[in-house]
Amino acid sequence: MSSMTIRVLIADDQPMLRAAFRMILGSQPDIEVVAETADGAAAVEEARRLRPDVCLVDIRMPKLDGLEVTRQLAGPGVPDPMNVLIATTFDLDEYVYTALRNGACGFLLKDGAPGLLTEAVRAAATGNSLISPSITVRLLSHMAPSRERPAEPPARGAAGAGAGAGAGPVRPAEPLTQRERDVVRLVARGRTNEEAAAELYVTLSTVKTHLANVQRKLAARNRVEIAAWAWETGLCGGGGRV
């Protein structure tokens, strides 16, 4: 049983939130909170020492913010990246772009239902999560190209917020097929594999095959990175040459 337990590190500078997260997660038979930290520097240190399955990370913290914590634990060039789940709120939409660039595998609203927290942690443990599609789509949609908005929104007042900035959308190693683009559009809009299969009138295994091919072509680690790329390139709006 112990080998199946999801080990979680909680990083948040608010003691009441850490206590609430610990209580909710600790009540689950398959989840164990192995550490709590109140600042980003301690989060990185403890995460590297303990290697938890999921790091539940706040964005605004002392010493290192959650964006920089994410970059150090899961960002490009990290040899053995961890699964980082960002705890955020709607007024932090501006951070999403950098969080994705820095390797975050999911997003969670702090005021969400307890069941969503446990669902998010279990999903993040697989490194393949898009939590609360309606929420995530709203966040990701801010990455859509716009003449009135910079391509990469700044994260105001955040240490390390510029990490990964300026790189631009990834170019696929090979062009995506029309069906792969169709699947990516649906994933970016929050559809599950089953829903995508139903909408495209194909089998579930076909959708999974297309996603695996897209993941390889983009060198993406999970669905979140695929969805982010789709919004960055304008594919969700029907545009974007991929």
Side-chain angles (χ1 to χ4, degrees):
M1 172 65 80
S2 60
S3 64
M4 299 175 63
T5 299
I6 299 171
R7 301 168 65 251
V8 179
L9 177 146
I10 300 172
D12 197 298
D13 63 344
Q14 299 183 51
M16 290 184 63
L17 276 174
R18 291 201 308 273
F21 287 159
R22 174 183 279 276
M23 180 181 67
I24 294 168
L25 296 175
S27 68
Q28 302 299 305
D30 61 334
I31 299 176
E32 175 188 6
V33 177
V34 296
E36 294 180 28
T37 68
D39 67 75
V44 171
E45 181 179 351
E46 286 295 277
R48 288 174 173 168
R49 182 176 71 87
L50 297 170
R51 298 294 305 182
D53 299 302
V54 177
C55 299
L56 178 61
V57 177
D58 184 23
I59 287 186
R60 291 179 175 172
M61 293 187 293
K63 297 187 179 179
L64 292 177
D65 67 13
L67 301 175
E68 178 62 16
V69 170
T70 302
R71 187 189 69 80
Q72 292 192 25
L73 297 179
V78 174
D80 189 11
M82 300 184 199
N83 298 316
V84 178
L85 175 62
I86 295 291
T88 188
T89 55
F90 279 133
D91 63 343
L92 295 176
D93 285 0
E94 65 203 64
Y95 295 117
V96 174
Y97 184 92
T98 304
L100 287 170
R101 280 290 190 192
N102 289 1
C105 70
F107 299 94
L108 179 71
L109 288 180
K110 286 185 176 182
D111 59 357
L116 181 59
L117 173 63
T118 57
E119 176 190 347
V121 166
R122 290 187 181 107
T126 70
N128 189 28
S129 59
L130 260 178
I131 307 305
S132 292
S134 62
I135 293 170
T136 306
V137 167
R138 170 175 171 169
L139 297 175
L140 291 174
S141 67
H142 286 263
M143 303 167 71
S146 170
R147 297 178 184 176
E148 302 174 356
R149 180 175 66 246
E152 300 186 59
R156 296 190 296 269
V170 172
R171 293 188 64 84
E174 306 170 32
L176 271 62
T177 66
Q178 181 60 52
R179 185 57 84 185
E180 287 168 353
R181 291 197 294 270
D182 293 339
V183 170
V184 168
R185 286 191 188 96
L186 293 176
V187 166
R189 294 189 178 282
R191 305 296 198 277
T192 65
N193 287 354
E194 291 80 1
E195 290 169 339
E199 291 193 36
L200 296 174
Y201 301 100
V202 297
T203 65
L204 178 59
S205 62
T206 298
V207 169
K208 291 181 177 179
T209 298
H210 287 317
L211 281 177
N213 289 338
V214 172
Q215 192 166 335
R216 173 182 56 81
K217 291 178 179 181
L218 298 180
R221 284 174 293 184
N222 50 53
R223 296 169 71 93
V224 172
E225 290 189 359
I226 292 174
W229 176 85
W231 284 104
E232 288 179 273
T233 57
L235 183 61
C236 288
R241 295 187 60 184
V242 294

